Amino acid sequence: NAGVTQTPKFRVLKTGQSMTLLCAQDMNHEYMYWYRQDPGMGLRLIHYSVGEGTTAKGEVPDGYNVSRLKKQNFLLGLESAAPSQTSVYFCASTPRGRGTDTQYFGPGTRLTVL
Amino acid sequence: DQQVKQNSPSLSVQEGRISILNCDYTNSMFDYFLWYKKYPAEGPTFLISISSIKDKNEDGRFTVFLNKSAKHLSLHIVPSQPGDSAVYFCAAPTGNQFYFGTGTSLTVIP
């Protein structure tokens, strides 16, 4: 099993450009999450999904959109990138989303917006 | 508003000694806590957890202590090894979301 994979690993954008980050998991997990990690801020939840076709906002959703058309994939979109979105983005999944479930994280995507 | 806080950004410990990483929380509804470990250029990985019905959970060299009245938990690593050098996050779930602390970077000096 590959676990949780993220594509791409690195990306540099100019302000105003758009892009999509792809997260894929092969563990048949129901719940998937997108986080961003910034210095001194820890991991902050952007959006999450409790199942195929569903999405919900997390702590810092502004400027991002998500889609979960297939159970194994969770896409994070930036329609018009801003320098404030420079960050490391992590995707995670859990079997059922219960609080006691362990989250499995991908390796991260480092995004720089110039 | 940071619901889970780690007030020490970094910690250095000699190999073989004890490492103590601290975490405070503000939400009294939290009833489960997790610690994650993160190496550079990798995603966090689960380390150990504790339920609020316990005040201690042990797994090998790692022990987590929970003090509910103080809303404080700590992770003890004994003995510390160079391979333990990483960033450690505490986290607490509520509803469908997880709240993470800002992390403590541990360096174990050989």
Side-chain angles (χ1 to χ4, degrees):
Chain A
N1 286 351
V4 180
T5 58
Q6 292 182 232
T7 308
K9 288 184 168 50
F10 304 94
R11 187 70 186 267
V12 178
L13 290 178
K14 294 182 179 178
T15 297
Q17 287 185 317
S18 63
M19 78 162 294
T20 300
L21 282 67
L22 170 64
C23 176
Q25 53 94 4
D26 60 2
M27 297 173 284
N28 202 35
H29 286 175
E30 290 293 334
Y31 283 54
M32 297 185 74
Y33 309 81
W34 275 107
Y35 293 90
R36 59 179 289 173
Q37 185 194 7
D38 302 293
M41 300 295 291
L43 288 158
R44 292 182 294 168
L45 182 64
I46 305 170
H47 286 279
Y48 64 97
S49 169
V50 303
E52 182 178 318
T54 72
T55 63
K57 294 180 180 180
E59 188 181 354
V60 288
D62 294 341
Y64 304 96
N65 57 76
V66 288
S67 65
R68 183 109 180 261
L69 299 179
K70 294 182 178 180
K71 186 177 183 178
Q72 63 269 33
N73 295 336
F74 195 27
L75 279 65
L76 177 71
L78 287 74
E79 290 187 350
S80 179
S84 61
Q85 294 177 304
T86 293
S87 187
V88 180
Y89 292 86
F90 290 99
C91 176
S93 69
T94 59
R96 287 167 298 275
R98 293 179 311 188
T100 53
D101 281 349
T102 299
Q103 289 196 313
Y104 294 83
F105 284 86
T109 295
R110 184 174 292 276
L111 175 66
T112 302
V113 182
L114 303 175
Chain B
D1 183 28
Q2 197 79 18
Q3 299 198 43
V4 179
K5 302 177 184 180
Q6 293 175 258
N7 293 319
S8 298
S10 63
L11 175 68
S12 291
V13 172
Q14 290 286 338
E15 181 179 4
R17 305 295 291 268
I18 184 171
S19 296
I20 300 176
L21 294 85
N22 295 306
C23 179
D24 298 293
Y25 61 97
T26 57
N27 189 338
S28 58
M29 298 300 291
F30 288 155
D31 59 5
Y32 194 78
F33 303 89
L34 307 95
W35 284 92
Y36 285 83
K37 178 179 181 179
K38 183 186 178 304
Y39 292 117
E42 295 183 10
T45 56
F46 170 73
L47 183 60
I48 192 170
S49 62
I50 187 166
S51 166
S52 61
I53 62 173
K54 295 184 176 182
D55 54 17
K56 175 183 174 181
N57 188 29
E58 194 171 352
D59 184 2
R61 296 186 297 112
F62 302 91
T63 303
V64 57
F65 295 91
L66 176 61
N67 182 333
K68 291 186 287 294
S69 61
K71 295 191 179 69
H72 176 83
L73 60 156
S74 61
L75 174 68
H76 293 211
I77 306 174
V78 182
S80 300
Q81 299 174 353
D84 296 329
S85 296
V87 177
Y88 291 79
F89 293 97
C90 62
T94 179
N96 290 323
Q97 302 194 29
F98 288 76
Y99 290 92
F100 284 80
T102 52
T104 296
S105 178
L106 173 66
T107 301
V108 180
I109 304 165

